[in-house]
């Protein structure tokens, strides 16, 4: 076992960590989907820092829109006593700055204020990149029990098609490996995300018959019909899928009417069609198919009642199996947090969707964890250098039998 005190030498890298994080912020890596040229430059910079690695592989995805026509994915590894590997998965791309007026400094010029480094991508996901590199550097000098892998992917913010999805097709990992995605977390590092609700977006078209608003006796108001039907559906869905699971917040499935498309242009026409959407976040004990089937048969019933059509389209459908609380990555992480920080970490589920879902779908138990203030995608995003250092210690410790 690695002695916790030995990890303290990682603290000597504070200045190096600041320098790397600043540089990462200043190499703007926006996906072509967000109007950028991709991650090529950032990947070159990261590669230049990995001279301590025992193995480096590249799994670039072709994307003509990006610089050099590629979306780079880097896999670097430090040998351990055993072939088995702990993989830390970080992403190189960032989201756009958003409204510049809300920033107090240039989002792509790093600004250091005491413990904080400000800039787009500082926390999401620059912090993890630097922590992984510091941990890797330490482990290259203190042979760990299992291998330590650093994965730097593209395209996390815009679907992962050129990133993790491509990597999982090209590279074979072992089911015996451990996976950690440091991409969400809490300020004290006490939350370990192990499950995500299923995401299901439904588009509804509820029909009626359009006509002059003075003659509702001759026409059928799609707007009124939709309001009635969707309110009823809302209630039925909550009743039918009512299970609770305290891992999640809120601890139940949610079904929210969200977007509504514009109908007629003038106030004196009865609308003939109503188009609206539900955002559903379903506990993983249910399948999205069950929800879709339930809505379909409800719509069939409604069509029979008045003869007008109700149609549904599934526009987003994501689900991944949860990682067990008893999985080795979660147990190791809890132990490391107990030893290094004296805290009892708690497994949680979220309603959002992280790139861990791709690993989980591929059959790898994956934990999402890091220590952060939660400034991702916000103006004046920052990361704390102390979190960079302390998370690096945890990453390093996970590569030892503890
Ligand atoms: Zn992220």
């Amino acid at each position: 076992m690695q002695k916790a005190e030995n990890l303290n030498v990682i603290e000597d890298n504070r200045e190096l960590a600041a320098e790397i994080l600043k540089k990462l912020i200043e190499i703007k890596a926006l996906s072509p989907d967000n109007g950028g040229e991709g991650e090529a430059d950032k990947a070159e910079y990261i590669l230049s820092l990995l001279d301590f690695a025992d193995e480096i592989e590249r799994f670039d995805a072709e994307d003509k829109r990006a610089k050099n026509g590629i979306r780079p994915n880097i896999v670097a590894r430090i040998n351990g006593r055993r072939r088995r590997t702990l993989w830390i998965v970080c992403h190189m791309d960032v989201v756009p700055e958003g409204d510049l007026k809300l920033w107090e400094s240039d989002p792509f010029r790093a600004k250091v204020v005491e413990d904080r480094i400000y800039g787009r991508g500082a926390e999401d996901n620059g912090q993890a990149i630097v922590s992984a590199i510091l941990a890797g550097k330490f482990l290259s000098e203190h042979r760990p029990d299992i291998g330590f892998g650093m994965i730097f992917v593209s395209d996390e913010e815009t679907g992962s098609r050129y990133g993790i999805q491509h990597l999982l097709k090209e590279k074979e990992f072992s089911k015996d490996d451990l996976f950690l995605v440091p991409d969400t977390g809490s300020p004290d590092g006490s939350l370990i995300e192990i499950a995500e609700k299923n995401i299901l977006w439904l588009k509804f078209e509820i029909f009626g018959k359009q006509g002059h608003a003075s003659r509702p006796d001759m026409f059928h108001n799609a707007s009124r019909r939709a309001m009635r039907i969707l309110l009823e559906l809302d209630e039925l869905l909550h009743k039918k899928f009512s299970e609770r699971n305290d891992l999640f917040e809120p601890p139940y499935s949610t079904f929210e009417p969200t977007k509504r498309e514009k109908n007629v242009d003038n106030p004196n026409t009865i609308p003939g069609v109503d188009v609206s959407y539900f955002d559903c976040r379903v506990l993983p004990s249910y399948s999205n198919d069950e929800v879709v089937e339930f809505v379909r048969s409800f719509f069939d019933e409604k069509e029979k009642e008045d003869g007008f059509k109700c149609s549904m389209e599934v526009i987003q459908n994501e689900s991944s199996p949860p990682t067990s609380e008893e999985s080795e990555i979660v147990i190791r992480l809890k132990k490391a947090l107990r030893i290094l920080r004296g805290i009892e970490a708690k497994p949680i589920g979220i309603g959002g969707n992280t790139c861990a879902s791709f690993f989980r779908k591929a059959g790898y138990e994956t934990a999402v964890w890091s220590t952060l203030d939660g400034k991702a995608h916000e103006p004046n995003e920052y990361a704390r250098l102390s979190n960079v250092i302390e998370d690096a210690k945890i990453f390093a410790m996970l590569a030892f039998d503890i």
Side-chain angles (χ1 to χ4, degrees):
M1 180 187 144
Q2 184 61 31
K3 283 210 192 80
E5 308 88 74
N6 294 353
L7 293 164
N8 288 344
V9 302
I10 292 178
E11 290 168 19
D12 300 342
N13 292 300
R14 215 181 137 91
E15 245 156 69
L16 175 69
E19 188 196 311
I20 298 173
L21 187 50
K22 280 158 69 182
K23 191 84 195 273
L24 288 172
I25 290 166
E26 293 175 6
I27 307 173
K28 190 171 177 174
L30 273 186
S31 152
D33 289 314
N34 280 328
E37 56 177 25
E39 303 84 353
D41 289 344
K42 200 177 267 191
E44 288 309 318
Y45 174 61
I46 290 172
L47 277 169
S48 76
L49 301 168
L50 296 176
D51 52 357
F52 57 83
D54 295 311
E55 295 162 30
I56 296 180
E57 291 175 282
R58 290 187 68 150
F59 297 90
D60 297 347
E62 208 180 291
D63 185 352
K64 292 200 174 58
R65 305 167 302 165
K67 184 164 177 180
N68 304 339
I70 52 134
R71 309 294 296 279
N73 296 293
I74 301 167
V75 175
R77 192 175 173 282
I78 309 290
N79 291 332
R81 285 177 223 284
R82 299 193 290 280
R83 183 67 209 169
R84 186 182 193 202
T85 307
L86 160 72
W87 298 101
I88 308 286
V89 186
C90 317
H91 66 85
M92 298 182 283
D93 58 314
V94 301
V95 292
E97 64 277 19
D99 187 350
L100 252 184
K101 290 195 291 296
L102 300 175
W103 283 84
E104 278 157 27
S105 59
D106 183 340
F108 294 100
R109 292 285 308 166
K111 188 177 87 175
V112 186
V113 183
E114 289 163 7
D115 193 34
R116 301 175 183 190
I117 299 190
Y118 288 84
R120 176 53 87 224
E123 185 186 80
D124 182 17
N125 203 213
Q127 175 181 323
I129 295 175
V130 185
S131 295
I133 291 172
L134 296 188
K137 204 165 141 308
F138 171 85
L139 294 169
S140 68
E141 294 152 10
H142 301 75
R143 181 178 273 263
D145 293 310
I146 61 172
F148 181 79
M150 294 155 280
I151 299 180
F152 306 99
V153 293
S154 290
D155 198 31
E156 195 274 340
E157 300 288 0
T158 43
S160 293
R161 194 153 76 88
Y162 302 95
I164 290 164
Q165 297 199 55
H166 175 79
L167 179 66
L168 283 170
K169 268 184 234 149
E170 301 283 311
K171 170 148 179 90
E172 210 170 318
F173 295 97
S174 162
K175 291 274 147 49
D176 203 28
D177 288 349
L178 302 170
F179 292 85
L180 179 66
V181 177
D183 202 15
T184 60
S186 58
D188 64 351
S190 65
L191 299 180
I192 304 171
E193 191 258 272
I194 58 166
E196 295 170 10
K197 287 180 184 173
N198 305 336
I199 299 182
L200 181 66
W201 291 351
L202 299 174
K203 176 184 180 183
F204 304 130
E205 281 182 297
I206 309 288
F207 291 87
K209 192 175 178 214
Q210 182 172 318
H212 198 282
S214 66
R215 295 303 306 269
D217 53 323
M218 288 171 60
F219 306 103
H220 198 79
N221 193 319
S223 179
R224 182 190 289 113
R225 181 171 184 250
M227 288 191 270
R228 283 192 175 135
I229 288 177
L230 296 178
L231 278 176
E232 192 183 343
L233 177 65
D234 178 15
E235 211 171 296
L236 289 174
L237 283 169
H238 284 94
K239 248 187 230 157
K240 166 83 181 167
F241 301 96
S242 60
E243 234 167 66
R244 294 178 72 88
N245 182 340
D246 286 324
L247 201 56
F248 293 91
E249 218 170 77
Y252 44 82
S253 303
T254 59
F255 303 92
E256 286 302 296
T258 51
K259 180 174 168 179
R260 262 192 119 169
E261 286 183 14
K262 181 182 145 323
N263 53 19
V264 291
D265 285 310
N266 48 317
N268 55 346
T269 294
I270 288 175
V273 61
D274 181 280
V275 184
S276 60
Y277 299 75
F278 269 31
D279 171 303
C280 314
R281 310 277 162 145
V282 185
L283 288 182
S285 51
Y286 298 113
S287 79
N288 280 349
D289 287 352
E290 283 174 83
V291 178
V292 168
E293 213 23 69
F294 181 80
V295 178
R296 275 200 209 290
S297 66
F298 172 73
F299 275 8
D300 284 348
E301 226 175 85
K302 293 289 138 188
E303 286 185 355
K304 269 185 215 130
E305 273 173 22
D306 59 11
F308 289 95
K309 225 176 120 190
C310 299
S311 68
M312 170 178 56
E313 194 188 325
V314 176
I315 55 171
Q316 169 93 306
N317 186 353
E318 290 294 339
S319 59
S320 58
T323 288
S324 162
E325 284 184 45
E326 305 305 323
S327 62
E328 193 178 337
I329 181 64
V330 174
I331 288 173
R332 270 183 192 246
L333 194 47
K334 283 170 95 169
K335 264 195 205 159
L337 287 163
R338 208 175 290 137
I339 296 168
L340 287 179
R341 300 193 189 172
I343 58 172
E344 242 358 273
K346 194 179 105 186
I348 57 152
I350 60 166
N353 194 230
T354 72
C355 60
S357 65
F358 297 109
F359 287 97
R360 290 180 182 146
K361 263 189 270 195
Y364 305 109
E365 298 212 90
T366 305
V368 181
W369 173 88
S370 62
T371 310
L372 36 81
D373 286 357
K375 301 293 165 193
H377 300 208
E378 289 185 18
N380 308 308
E381 175 181 353
Y382 67 82
R384 288 182 182 276
L385 265 178
S386 50
N387 288 339
V388 174
I389 302 289
E390 295 305 316
D391 283 10
K393 290 185 194 171
I394 298 279
F395 293 173
M397 187 168 229
L398 290 173
F400 293 98
D401 296 333
I402 47 175

